[in-house]
Amino acid sequence: RQDEIGILARRFYHMRQQIRQQIAELNCRREEMENLARHDPLTGLANRRLLVERAEHAFTVARRDNPRLGLLFIDLDRFKHVNDVLGHAFGDKLLQAVAKRLRNQVLAHGDMVARMGGNEFALLLRRTDAHAALVVARSITKAFERPLDFGDQMVDLSAGIGIACWPTDATDVDTLLSHSEVAMYAAKRRLDGPQLYDAALDSASAQTLSLLTELR
């Protein structure tokens, strides 16, 4: 129609199209913000927040389906030295290469790799007991034996890897993370490969903290 009603109808139509486009743009921006809030911008891996969310969901599923979860906590050795000698830009490239190498270790659907911050990473493994988690950890250690080649620079890489499993080592996500980190520090001290969590490690940590407090 070419009368006033037709003109008004067309204006309403265009207005509706503009509103629909604005809503789509807002939804897109919201998705981008949510993605940034749950992923590490440097490596594209999940961050600590998303790892915790996935772990909590995995706990819920595991209680009903298959009560086994493994968490590997990984801390790169000598990373600060690499940053100091070769610069932060090279350090970023190294972290990206490590992220790619760790992704290759996650084969099962639902498993994930996360960057926890700095030079720390974590692997959440579904349907995994201590033995299976140790196999993955040793595979990572073997993968790290191959130097990273950046064309004009070769970098030898190693890491301390701590392992904690649910339900044997923890009853909630925070405890699982804490125990895997305790095991990781033990692995870095002992220098004999990946370390499974043991309650004695916590006892030793508590004794060390008490001793430091008394000395101070």
Side-chain angles (χ1 to χ4, degrees):
R1 296 174 60 161
Q2 301 302 319
D3 57 8
E4 292 181 355
I5 294 177
I7 294 172
L8 185 62
R10 283 192 292 275
R11 286 178 179 172
F12 274 123
Y13 174 78
H14 290 308
M15 186 184 301
R16 186 175 66 179
Q17 292 296 100
Q18 289 173 354
I19 291 172
R20 183 179 296 171
Q21 183 177 353
Q22 290 173 355
I23 290 173
E25 290 174 355
L26 285 172
N27 287 335
C28 183
R29 289 174 189 167
R30 187 181 298 111
E31 288 178 3
E32 289 177 357
M33 291 176 65
E34 290 178 355
N35 186 62
L36 288 172
R38 288 174 169 80
H39 290 83
D40 173 52
L42 177 64
T43 62
L45 296 176
N47 60 14
R48 178 184 286 267
R49 176 181 173 182
L50 182 55
L51 177 79
V52 170
E53 289 178 0
R54 290 283 181 85
E56 288 175 344
H57 176 71
F59 268 40
T60 302
V61 174
R63 287 189 184 98
R64 183 183 65 248
D65 181 23
N66 193 331
R68 292 184 302 164
L69 290 173
L71 185 68
L72 275 59
F73 202 103
I74 303 165
D75 183 272
L76 303 180
D77 297 328
R78 304 182 304 277
F79 181 74
K80 184 179 184 302
H81 181 68
V82 171
N83 259 353
D84 292 342
V85 174
L86 300 176
H88 290 281
F90 187 87
D92 288 347
K93 288 169 60 179
L94 177 62
L95 290 172
Q96 290 169 339
V98 169
K100 182 177 180 181
R101 204 166 270 194
L102 289 176
R103 280 196 193 99
N104 293 334
Q105 303 297 324
V106 177
L107 303 176
H109 176 70
D111 293 350
M112 72 179 302
V113 186
R115 183 184 176 202
M116 306 301 281
N119 59 319
E120 295 179 340
F121 297 83
L123 270 70
L124 178 66
L125 307 173
R126 296 174 67 243
R127 302 176 181 273
T128 302
D129 57 13
H131 174 73
L134 192 57
V135 170
V136 174
R138 286 171 177 162
S139 176
I140 292 171
T141 300
K142 189 172 182 61
F144 280 0
E145 289 175 358
R146 290 183 289 107
L148 292 168
D149 186 0
F150 294 97
D152 57 344
Q153 188 72 45
M154 297 281 286
V155 179
D156 289 319
L157 195 63
S158 62
I161 305 177
I163 305 166
C165 297
W166 179 85
T168 54
D169 300 324
T171 57
D172 58 73
V173 175
D174 287 341
T175 306
L176 190 68
L177 278 168
S178 175
H179 286 178
S180 64
E181 192 169 5
V182 167
M184 178 272 292
Y185 284 118
K188 293 180 81 71
R189 288 194 304 270
R190 297 179 179 182
L191 300 176
D192 58 356
Q195 174 69 53
L196 289 167
Y197 173 78
D198 188 287
L201 299 175
D202 261 341
S203 176
S205 298
Q207 290 172 3
T208 301
L209 180 61
S210 177
L211 179 60
L212 289 172
T213 303
E214 290 171 6
L215 285 171
R216 181 168 295 185

